[in-house]
Short mmCIF file of all heavy atoms in Angstrom, two decimals:
data_model
loop_
_atom_site.label_atom_id
_atom_site.label_comp_id
_atom_site.label_asym_id
_atom_site.label_seq_id
_atom_site.Cartn_x
_atom_site.Cartn_y
_atom_site.Cartn_z
N GLU M 35 10.26 -13.44 -3.39
CA GLU M 35 9.99 -12.43 -4.43
C GLU M 35 8.52 -12.03 -4.33
O GLU M 35 7.87 -12.28 -3.33
CB GLU M 35 10.30 -13.02 -5.83
CG GLU M 35 11.78 -13.27 -6.04
CD GLU M 35 12.15 -13.26 -7.53
OE1 GLU M 35 11.32 -12.86 -8.35
OE2 GLU M 35 13.28 -13.65 -7.84
N GLY M 36 8.03 -11.39 -5.39
CA GLY M 36 6.61 -11.02 -5.39
C GLY M 36 6.32 -9.75 -4.64
O GLY M 36 5.22 -9.54 -4.13
N PHE M 37 7.30 -8.85 -4.58
CA PHE M 37 7.12 -7.63 -3.78
C PHE M 37 6.12 -6.66 -4.39
O PHE M 37 5.55 -5.84 -3.68
CB PHE M 37 8.47 -6.93 -3.57
CG PHE M 37 9.54 -7.82 -3.01
CD1 PHE M 37 10.85 -7.72 -3.44
CD2 PHE M 37 9.24 -8.77 -2.03
CE1 PHE M 37 11.84 -8.55 -2.93
CE2 PHE M 37 10.22 -9.61 -1.52
CZ PHE M 37 11.52 -9.50 -1.97
N LEU M 38 5.90 -6.74 -5.71
CA LEU M 38 4.91 -5.85 -6.33
C LEU M 38 3.55 -6.04 -5.67
O LEU M 38 2.90 -5.09 -5.26
CB LEU M 38 4.74 -6.15 -7.82
CG LEU M 38 5.76 -5.66 -8.84
CD1 LEU M 38 5.27 -5.99 -10.23
CD2 LEU M 38 6.03 -4.18 -8.71
N PHE M 39 3.12 -7.30 -5.61
CA PHE M 39 1.79 -7.57 -5.07
C PHE M 39 1.75 -7.29 -3.56
O PHE M 39 0.77 -6.77 -3.05
CB PHE M 39 1.39 -9.03 -5.33
CG PHE M 39 0.82 -9.28 -6.71
CD1 PHE M 39 1.35 -8.65 -7.83
CD2 PHE M 39 -0.25 -10.15 -6.89
CE1 PHE M 39 0.82 -8.88 -9.10
CE2 PHE M 39 -0.79 -10.39 -8.15
CZ PHE M 39 -0.26 -9.76 -9.26
N TYR M 84 12.43 -4.28 -9.54
CA TYR M 84 11.61 -4.83 -10.63
C TYR M 84 10.77 -3.69 -11.23
O TYR M 84 10.08 -2.98 -10.50
CB TYR M 84 10.69 -5.94 -10.12
CG TYR M 84 9.92 -6.58 -11.26
CD1 TYR M 84 10.47 -7.60 -12.01
CD2 TYR M 84 8.66 -6.10 -11.61
CE1 TYR M 84 9.79 -8.14 -13.09
CE2 TYR M 84 7.97 -6.63 -12.69
CZ TYR M 84 8.55 -7.66 -13.42
OH TYR M 84 7.86 -8.19 -14.49
N GLU M 170 15.07 -11.78 -14.53
CA GLU M 170 13.86 -12.59 -14.37
C GLU M 170 12.68 -12.13 -15.22
O GLU M 170 12.66 -11.04 -15.76
CB GLU M 170 13.44 -12.61 -12.90
CG GLU M 170 13.03 -11.23 -12.42
CD GLU M 170 12.56 -11.22 -10.98
OE1 GLU M 170 12.43 -12.27 -10.36
OE2 GLU M 170 12.31 -10.12 -10.47
N THR M 171 11.70 -13.05 -15.28
CA THR M 171 10.40 -12.78 -15.89
C THR M 171 10.52 -12.46 -17.38
O THR M 171 9.82 -11.61 -17.91
CB THR M 171 9.67 -11.63 -15.13
OG1 THR M 171 10.04 -11.64 -13.75
CG2 THR M 171 8.17 -11.81 -15.21
N SER M 197 9.70 -16.81 -18.12
CA SER M 197 8.28 -16.78 -17.80
C SER M 197 7.44 -16.85 -19.07
O SER M 197 6.90 -15.84 -19.52
CB SER M 197 7.96 -15.48 -17.05
OG SER M 197 8.90 -15.24 -16.03
N ASN M 228 10.13 -18.28 -13.24
CA ASN M 228 9.47 -17.51 -12.18
C ASN M 228 8.21 -16.86 -12.75
O ASN M 228 8.08 -16.64 -13.94
CB ASN M 228 10.39 -16.43 -11.61
CG ASN M 228 10.48 -15.20 -12.51
OD1 ASN M 228 11.00 -15.28 -13.62
ND2 ASN M 228 9.97 -14.07 -12.04
N CYS M 229 7.31 -16.56 -11.85
CA CYS M 229 6.12 -15.72 -12.13
C CYS M 229 5.16 -16.31 -13.19
O CYS M 229 5.41 -17.35 -13.78
CB CYS M 229 6.53 -14.31 -12.53
SG CYS M 229 5.32 -13.07 -11.97
N PHE M 230 4.06 -15.61 -13.36
CA PHE M 230 2.98 -15.86 -14.34
C PHE M 230 2.24 -17.19 -14.12
O PHE M 230 1.05 -17.26 -14.35
CB PHE M 230 3.51 -15.86 -15.79
CG PHE M 230 4.12 -14.56 -16.27
CD1 PHE M 230 4.68 -14.48 -17.54
CD2 PHE M 230 4.15 -13.43 -15.47
CE1 PHE M 230 5.24 -13.29 -18.00
CE2 PHE M 230 4.72 -12.23 -15.93
CZ PHE M 230 5.26 -12.18 -17.20
N LEU M 254 10.10 -20.45 -8.98
CA LEU M 254 9.37 -19.46 -8.17
C LEU M 254 8.00 -19.19 -8.80
O LEU M 254 7.81 -18.24 -9.56
CB LEU M 254 10.16 -18.14 -8.08
CG LEU M 254 11.59 -18.22 -7.55
CD1 LEU M 254 12.60 -18.33 -8.68
CD2 LEU M 254 11.92 -17.02 -6.70
N PRO M 255 7.03 -20.06 -8.49
CA PRO M 255 5.70 -19.90 -9.08
C PRO M 255 4.92 -18.78 -8.38
O PRO M 255 5.31 -18.31 -7.32
CB PRO M 255 5.03 -21.25 -8.79
CG PRO M 255 5.65 -21.68 -7.49
CD PRO M 255 7.07 -21.18 -7.53
N ILE M 256 3.82 -18.39 -9.00
CA ILE M 256 2.86 -17.52 -8.30
C ILE M 256 1.94 -18.42 -7.48
O ILE M 256 1.71 -19.57 -7.85
CB ILE M 256 2.04 -16.68 -9.30
CG1 ILE M 256 1.39 -17.58 -10.37
CG2 ILE M 256 2.91 -15.61 -9.97
CD1 ILE M 256 0.26 -16.96 -11.13
N PHE M 267 -1.60 -16.26 -14.90
CA PHE M 267 -2.62 -15.48 -14.17
C PHE M 267 -3.18 -14.31 -14.98
O PHE M 267 -4.12 -13.67 -14.56
CB PHE M 267 -2.14 -15.04 -12.78
CG PHE M 267 -0.94 -14.11 -12.68
CD1 PHE M 267 -0.26 -13.63 -13.78
CD2 PHE M 267 -0.48 -13.73 -11.41
CE1 PHE M 267 0.84 -12.78 -13.64
CE2 PHE M 267 0.61 -12.88 -11.27
CZ PHE M 267 1.27 -12.41 -12.39
N VAL M 317 8.72 -17.95 -4.09
CA VAL M 317 7.36 -17.75 -4.58
C VAL M 317 7.30 -16.34 -5.13
O VAL M 317 7.89 -15.43 -4.55
CB VAL M 317 6.31 -17.95 -3.45
CG1 VAL M 317 4.89 -17.86 -4.02
CG2 VAL M 317 6.51 -19.29 -2.73
N CYS M 318 6.61 -16.16 -6.26
CA CYS M 318 6.60 -14.84 -6.91
C CYS M 318 5.28 -14.11 -6.62
O CYS M 318 4.67 -14.31 -5.57
CB CYS M 318 6.90 -15.01 -8.40
SG CYS M 318 7.69 -13.56 -9.14
N CYS M 319 4.85 -13.26 -7.54
CA CYS M 319 3.74 -12.33 -7.30
C CYS M 319 2.54 -12.99 -6.61
O CYS M 319 1.97 -13.96 -7.13
CB CYS M 319 3.30 -11.70 -8.61
SG CYS M 319 4.61 -10.73 -9.35
N GLY M 320 2.14 -12.41 -5.51
CA GLY M 320 1.06 -12.95 -4.72
C GLY M 320 1.57 -13.54 -3.41
O GLY M 320 0.81 -13.73 -2.46
ZN1 LIG Z 3 6.09 -12.26 -10.14
#
Side-chain angles (χ1 to χ4, degrees):
E35 292 204 11
F37 307 141
L38 281 186
F39 277 40
Y84 184 85
E170 65 177 354
T171 329
S197 313
N228 78 294
C229 213
F230 298 177
L254 305 95
I256 53 163
F267 62 0
V317 185
C318 208
C319 297

